[in-house]
Amino acid sequence: MAEQGIKRFIGSIDQGTTSTRFLVFDQHGLPQASHQIEFKQSYPHPGWIEHDPYELVRSAETCIEEATKAFVAGGHSVSDIKAIGITNQRETTVVWDSETGEALHPAIVWSDTRAKKLVRKLKERGGASELQPLCGLPLSTYPSSVKLLWLLENVDAVRNAYDAGRLAFGTVDSWLLFRLNGGMKRNIHITDPTNASRTMFLNIHTLQYDDTLIEFFGLQRSKLKLPKIVPSSDPAEFGSLASGILEGVRITGCLGDQSSALVGQCAFSPGRAKNTYGTGCFLLCNTSTEPVISKYGLLTTVAYDFGQGRKPVYALEGSIAVAGSAVKFLQNNLKFISSSSEVSDLAETVKDSGGVVFVTAFSGLFAPYWIDDAKGTIFGITQHTQRGHIARAALEATCFQTKAIIDAMEKDSGHPLRELAVDGGMSNSEFCMQTQSSILGIPIDRPLMRETTALGAAIAAGFAVGVWQDFEELADLGREGRTVFTPKIGREEREAMVSRWEHAVSMCRGWIENHGVDAEEDG
């Protein structure tokens, strides 16, 4: 820990799916200043979601400026910020020209489903069944690899750069690090294992790029510039800010957002799990220093790699494509509410869902189902159905999918989960967290300080510069003021609710193939 009486602060860039934030944490893990900016979501066609790569960078730079000004206004000095960590939306794919540094296409967001037809073809390719044991991920529209393939097949500028050997590929962390370091001036092209493990190019056992994986996708290493992989916590490799109010401050930590939330929850022991309720919903469970390849529909991912002689730590993960975005759907599309914070009040205007089940398969269903031919479907509507029933069913959908993930996780690990730590926007809802506890039948543990994703990146950066030396120092971080929710329904009622949900899931399968052309495919 920092020397007695000397305050040391760590900055954290949290670049999410809908907004960017910059927070400044003290050595006790408490935020001292922050600034947040939402950025534009582009939907060129059904199922397509894009971000402007330059807007992502500008939003990060603005947040750094404004949060640091607030930090200084609070009586601190810029020099008190010793390092910066980055955490980012994973899988979202950015490509740029390695000679000019210019982006060649809007970023394709992790939940984008334009590559469905391509994925179906890949699944028929020889060797497809051998991928998951190597990289930890199943073939789906989710990982970065298929987004890159779609770009190569459909965007001339990307194909031309690839053929000329000047196509730089990266996830959002790589793009931010490249631009924040001054772009072509330093030409830093780098990533960490938590982000690289979401591409399907990384061997999950060696944590290096694997030619078998790259060649499966028909790619040539000589034509594609992949980012260098370094540990998530490193004092030098990630460079430093090239301009702005914090010019020269080192970037010393980098974690994909869901791994970062696991670190921010201080889930450093095997068996510890967290669920982040954001735009999507992501449940990770620490499985120690050996990867566990799931047999029940989960992903194997890197939890964190803090280097300095420490072994990398792995996790099993279940990903839900639609969580908070279902609330936005109720707000923006159906006009049920005027702000997201109103959804719980609406759900509580009725005593139960009235038999309504809302399968929020706007992007198909992710873990553990992996159904890409489903559409969002509402079952059980009657003349009795009110807005409150549909709102309640939308919140319950995330809780039911979380239950399915935990059931799969327990099968893979052989151990029941005793408690679930939570964070993210939807965790602010008392109703939603109580419902989650009742559906799971276990306690839900919610921290008072819920900026755990940003905190995780700050922890990674702090380890690299000596703010913290070992995990024991972090044992009490964020333990004060936690709220624990316990189940309020019995086993029989729980099982009946889960059974009805699973029946609804089975009925939404095959909707695209059986009922006409899928407008999402191939633009």
Side-chain angles (χ1 to χ4, degrees):
M1 185 70 77
E3 294 176 34
Q4 194 68 28
I6 298 177
K7 289 190 175 181
R8 303 173 75 185
F9 299 87
I10 301 291
S12 180
I13 300 169
D14 181 358
Q15 203 297 297
T17 308
T18 59
S19 69
T20 302
R21 289 179 292 177
F22 184 73
L23 297 91
V24 182
F25 290 94
D26 64 18
Q27 65 261 46
H28 306 294
L30 299 175
Q32 302 301 307
S34 67
H35 191 77
Q36 180 174 356
I37 295 177
E38 292 192 356
F39 49 81
K40 184 180 178 182
Q41 309 290 308
S42 297
Y43 306 96
H45 302 283
W48 294 31
I49 310 175
E50 296 178 349
H51 293 157
D52 177 348
Y54 295 103
E55 189 179 7
L56 298 184
V57 177
R58 288 194 300 270
S59 66
E61 291 173 336
T62 302
C63 287
I64 291 169
E65 294 290 317
E66 296 304 318
T68 304
K69 286 177 184 177
F71 178 70
V72 172
H76 303 288
S77 169
V78 167
S79 62
D80 292 337
I81 300 175
K82 301 303 179 185
I84 293 170
I86 290 180
T87 182
N88 57 281
Q89 52 172 314
R90 305 169 304 168
E91 296 94 20
T92 297
T93 300
V94 188
V95 289
W96 63 97
D97 188 311
S98 66
E99 293 183 0
T100 67
E102 296 302 310
L104 297 171
H105 191 271
I108 299 182
V109 179
W110 58 271
S111 55
D112 184 288
T113 58
R114 73 185 68 186
K116 280 206 286 274
K117 185 179 290 185
L118 174 60
V119 169
R120 290 172 194 164
K121 291 178 181 177
L122 289 171
K123 287 180 177 178
E124 296 171 358
R125 188 175 289 181
S129 62
E130 300 167 14
L131 298 182
Q132 188 164 0
L134 270 181
C135 69
L137 307 180
L139 273 170
S140 74
T141 59
Y142 191 24
S144 309
S145 55
V146 298
K147 304 179 198 306
L148 175 60
L149 254 62
W150 186 93
L151 288 166
L152 286 167
E153 291 185 5
N154 292 277
V155 181
D156 289 343
V158 177
R159 168 55 68 175
N160 292 340
Y162 174 78
D163 289 340
R166 50 184 174 82
L167 181 64
F169 157 87
T171 42
V172 169
D173 58 310
S174 296
W175 171 249
L176 285 179
L177 286 162
F178 171 67
R179 300 298 299 192
L180 293 175
N181 271 281
M184 294 303 298
K185 291 179 182 177
R186 297 179 187 166
N187 200 19
I188 287 180
H189 191 196
I190 203 162
T191 190
D192 89 301
T194 69
N195 281 295
S197 67
R198 314 303 295 187
T199 62
M200 291 193 83
F201 298 146
L202 182 87
N203 185 311
I204 200 72
H205 306 277
T206 65
L207 300 191
Q208 299 296 323
Y209 294 120
D210 191 298
D211 287 339
T212 299
L213 295 168
I214 292 168
E215 289 167 8
F216 172 85
F217 292 102
L219 299 170
Q220 297 179 42
R221 288 284 291 272
S222 60
K223 293 184 176 182
L224 180 64
K225 297 188 183 303
L226 296 170
K228 178 183 177 183
I229 303 167
V230 301
S232 314
S233 178
D234 190 280
E237 291 280 7
F238 298 115
S240 62
L241 294 185
S243 61
I245 196 169
L246 295 182
E247 181 179 350
V249 176
R250 284 183 291 164
I251 303 167
T252 59
C254 179
L255 289 163
D257 54 6
Q258 303 312 319
S259 290
S260 194
L262 190 75
V263 171
Q265 289 276 13
C266 297
F268 301 121
S269 303
R272 291 282 304 278
K274 71 88 199 175
N275 202 18
T276 297
Y277 299 79
T279 304
C281 193
F282 303 89
L283 198 157
L284 271 71
C285 181
N286 182 324
T287 60
S288 194
T289 56
E290 293 295 330
V292 175
I293 304 300
S294 176
K295 297 178 181 178
Y296 297 96
L298 302 181
L299 313 178
T300 304
T301 196
V302 180
Y304 53 89
D305 177 7
F306 280 7
Q308 300 179 38
R310 303 180 183 93
K311 289 185 177 181
V313 172
Y314 294 89
L316 278 172
E317 175 177 344
S319 306
I320 299 169
V322 175
S325 53
V327 178
K328 288 294 185 183
F329 175 79
L330 298 180
Q331 176 186 339
N332 298 331
N333 298 54
L334 301 186
K335 309 299 183 185
F336 279 11
I337 51 179
S338 58
S339 71
S340 299
S341 60
E342 297 172 7
V343 70
S344 294
D345 290 339
L346 178 58
E348 291 186 278
T349 60
V350 294
K351 66 177 182 179
D352 55 37
S353 67
V356 173
V357 179
F358 191 170
V359 183
T360 51
F362 303 151
S363 299
L365 288 172
F366 285 7
Y369 305 106
W370 299 110
I371 305 172
D372 66 0
D373 58 358
K375 287 287 191 183
T377 316
I378 303 176
F379 297 95
I381 292 178
T382 68
Q383 288 180 315
H384 167 71
T385 301
Q386 301 171 30
R387 292 184 307 155
H389 294 117
I390 295 173
R392 197 175 185 113
L395 295 178
E396 288 178 350
T398 297
C399 299
F400 284 126
Q401 290 175 84
T402 297
K403 165 70 172 167
I405 288 169
I406 286 178
D407 287 348
M409 207 164 271
E410 290 178 348
K411 291 176 184 175
D412 275 323
S413 68
H415 302 289
L417 192 65
R418 304 294 185 189
E419 180 182 79
L420 182 63
V422 299
D423 52 58
M426 284 179 69
S427 72
N428 293 324
S429 166
E430 305 282 316
F431 168 78
C432 192
M433 293 302 96
Q434 181 56 62
T435 301
Q436 185 68 87
S437 177
S438 293
I439 287 174
L440 293 179
I442 60 173
I444 297 296
D445 181 4
R446 184 181 69 187
L448 180 63
M449 201 292 289
R450 290 166 215 163
E451 302 290 354
T452 51
T453 302
L455 177 58
I459 289 172
F463 260 80
V465 296
V467 173
W468 301 286
Q469 303 287 345
D470 54 56
F471 296 129
E472 286 72 22
E473 294 180 40
L474 302 170
D476 296 326
L477 216 62
R479 298 309 303 176
E480 293 182 6
R482 299 181 81 93
T483 302
V484 177
F485 300 86
T486 55
K488 287 190 175 179
I489 64 173
R491 179 177 177 180
E492 208 170 285
E493 184 178 354
R494 179 183 308 117
E495 289 178 349
M497 292 173 68
V498 171
S499 177
R500 185 171 59 194
W501 163 262
E502 292 295 340
H503 182 51
V505 168
S506 68
M507 291 179 69
C508 81
R509 291 175 182 267
W511 183 262
I512 292 171
E513 291 181 354
N514 295 337
H515 297 276
V517 177
D518 178 13
E520 294 180 15
E521 290 189 355
D522 297 338

